[in-house]
Amino acid sequence: MEISTTLSTDLVDDQKLAAILENPGFGQHFTDHMFTVEWTPERGWYDARITPYGPLSLDPATAVLHYAQEIFEGMKAYRHDDGSVWSFRPEENARRMVRSSQRLALPELPEEDFVRAADALVEVDRRWVPDSAGEKSLYLRPFMFASEKFLGVRPSQHVTFMVIASPAGSYFKGGVKPVSLWLTEEYTRAARGGMGAAKTGGNYASSLVAQQEASRHDCDQVVFLDAQEQRYVEELGGMNMYFVHADGHIVTPETGTILEGITRASVIELAGKLGHQVTERRFGIEEWREGVASGEIVEIFACGTAAVITPVGELRSAQGTTPAPASTDLTMRIRQALVDVQYGRAEDSFGWMHRIC
Ligand code: PLP
Ligand code: COI
């Protein structure tokens, strides 16, 4: 893939950038440039380019606006103490995007082109990668959408893939503290044969009303159960879950209808290295309630790229409240082990880090 570059003549000035990087929040500010490549069946992927960041002009009949044929990814670039910039397992995001594109009938972007596109944007906007203090990073948002002007319901014959980037601080206001969860019994996220394992906008659109339900009950996040039996824990709106047992073993819901988190897979390996066996299996909501009550479950945590790893506190539902588990010790140890690798403070024994510049 050949990438052309047109640099912006209207860069955010250094003073304004410093103020943004001081307190970036999440998803509010965007870098000076963006990456775009387009696809048609005849041409394949073509016209890869870095251009100044700016609005798109879309025909009102653009397919994605009507049928949501869209997928995305979330990953981060981290600045190490020596100034170098690295991403975390970007080839895993590339592979997941291929799996999402298969489910959404979108064309596959080759893994090396995906990684190249993200690298190229970070290289040109490297001054936007915050320093590592306070666990800041540059959040990268690759996405692909149906850009054909056509109202028929069939896979789009024109597709656009883009990468944008946004400096990120803590995903949750107030930093790392246990998040309270609302158990929705009204809504489910994904059914067998549905799109639960794909990272596609529709899954997030469908989670919003459940998240509103959670907020009405003063909870930070919503937890979804399986659609078939309404018994098994699936995941949160944007995070995977883990249940730490008294003997040290950890259970995480099996894949199928959940998003296969890259942090999830990494936590399984890191926990193993710390001597904790992780089992992937169905985990019932009653097991959660009874386990916390009996002391069999000593910690619960959730993880994702944006949120990193966060302890889970109270579970509330129409059935009542299950208190926060006793401890957050292992959660915080695994969290530290992960961020130490990401920020280059610990040996990258799994070979997860990818140097960009
Ligand atoms: N589950 C959902 C629904 C998500 O949106 C995310 C975030 O990307 C995750 C889990 C965690 O995935 P990852 O660790 O790859 O960010
Ligand atoms: C991520 O963690 O990267 C996500 O995509 C979760 C959310 C911001 C949608």
Side-chain angles (χ1 to χ4, degrees):
M1 184 174 64
E2 280 284 303
I3 305 175
S4 72
T5 301
T6 308
L7 293 178
S8 170
T9 52
D10 186 25
L11 299 176
V12 168
D13 69 51
D14 288 343
Q15 203 181 349
K16 185 163 176 219
L17 179 58
I20 292 171
L21 297 186
E22 180 65 30
N23 190 15
F26 182 82
Q28 298 170 39
H29 305 278
F30 298 90
T31 63
D32 293 307
H33 299 90
M34 59 190 191
F35 172 89
T36 308
V37 63
E38 290 168 72
W39 178 92
T40 62
E42 299 76 35
R43 297 182 69 179
W45 293 104
Y46 67 94
D47 198 10
R49 57 197 187 269
I50 298 256
T51 54
Y53 186 93
L56 305 178
S57 168
L58 292 181
D59 190 281
T62 303
V64 67
L65 301 176
H66 302 272
Y67 309 124
Q69 193 193 4
E70 183 271 354
I71 56 178
F72 68 96
E73 273 303 323
M75 52 203 268
K76 282 175 172 172
Y78 306 86
R79 192 179 291 284
H80 290 185
D81 289 339
D82 65 0
S84 60
V85 177
W86 304 67
S87 57
F88 181 72
R89 310 187 77 179
E91 67 291 343
E92 293 298 327
N93 294 88
R95 286 188 198 125
R96 187 169 63 189
M97 185 160 244
V98 168
R99 297 198 295 278
S100 298
S101 63
Q102 288 163 349
R103 181 63 184 83
L104 272 289
L106 284 161
E108 293 178 21
L109 181 69
E111 189 182 315
E112 60 276 15
D113 290 346
F114 176 101
V115 175
R116 185 79 201 90
D119 286 4
L121 181 63
V122 175
E123 273 168 46
V124 71
D125 280 335
R126 61 184 296 169
R127 71 193 186 109
W128 284 82
V129 184
D131 65 37
S132 58
E135 289 181 13
K136 291 173 196 160
S137 59
L138 184 65
Y139 184 78
L140 306 177
R141 172 52 62 85
F143 60 105
M144 190 190 290
F145 62 95
S147 40
E148 184 181 359
K149 174 186 161 186
F150 181 59
L151 289 186
V153 183
R154 58 140 172 78
S156 182
Q157 303 298 292
H158 190 284
V159 170
T160 304
F161 169 83
M162 301 186 69
V163 187
I164 55 175
S166 173
S170 176
Y171 187 66
F172 295 114
K173 288 193 201 95
V176 189
K177 57 176 183 353
V179 289
S180 55
L181 300 186
W182 172 253
L183 175 72
T184 179
E185 287 158 298
E186 169 104 23
Y187 303 105
T188 59
R189 190 186 161 275
R192 243 170 92 188
M195 317 189 291
K199 203 160 169 64
T200 179
N203 288 335
Y204 299 81
S206 93
S207 77
L208 298 177
V209 65
Q211 181 63 36
Q212 283 179 323
E213 193 184 82
S215 302
R216 272 201 304 279
H217 290 90
D218 272 335
C219 291
D220 300 310
Q221 294 281 310
V222 61
V223 53
F224 291 98
L225 297 178
D226 75 286
Q228 210 163 354
E229 297 184 57
Q230 280 279 291
R231 252 179 82 192
Y232 298 103
V233 177
E234 296 244 299
E235 61 182 322
L236 312 188
M239 281 178 271
N240 296 118
M241 295 201 69
Y242 300 82
F243 299 87
V244 184
H245 289 65
D247 69 359
H249 87 274
I250 303 174
V251 176
T252 192
E254 64 188 6
T255 57
T257 50
I258 63 170
L259 190 80
E260 294 174 29
I262 291 152
T263 323
R264 176 186 179 279
S266 310
V267 163
I268 293 174
E269 293 196 54
L270 278 176
K273 199 174 159 191
L274 294 173
H276 294 265
Q277 188 212 333
V278 183
T279 311
E280 299 176 65
R281 65 164 170 86
R282 297 210 288 190
F283 186 84
I285 188 68
E286 282 314 313
E287 218 179 323
W288 179 339
R289 291 190 172 116
E290 288 162 14
V292 171
S294 70
E296 171 58 19
I297 295 195
V298 291
E299 289 185 46
I300 304 175
F301 62 94
C303 73
T305 298
V308 195
I309 293 179
T310 180
V312 166
E314 226 168 67
L315 172 73
R316 287 182 218 148
S317 72
Q319 264 56 254
T321 297
T322 302
S327 165
T328 61
D329 292 352
L330 180 64
T331 304
M332 297 312 278
R333 268 173 55 215
I334 294 176
R335 189 182 192 288
Q336 198 60 49
L338 177 67
V339 299
D340 282 349
V341 171
Q342 291 171 332
Y343 287 99
R345 298 184 189 121
E347 194 205 341
D348 178 18
S349 55
F350 295 106
W352 284 338
M353 302 310 289
H354 165 81
R355 183 163 183 166
I356 300 175
C357 54

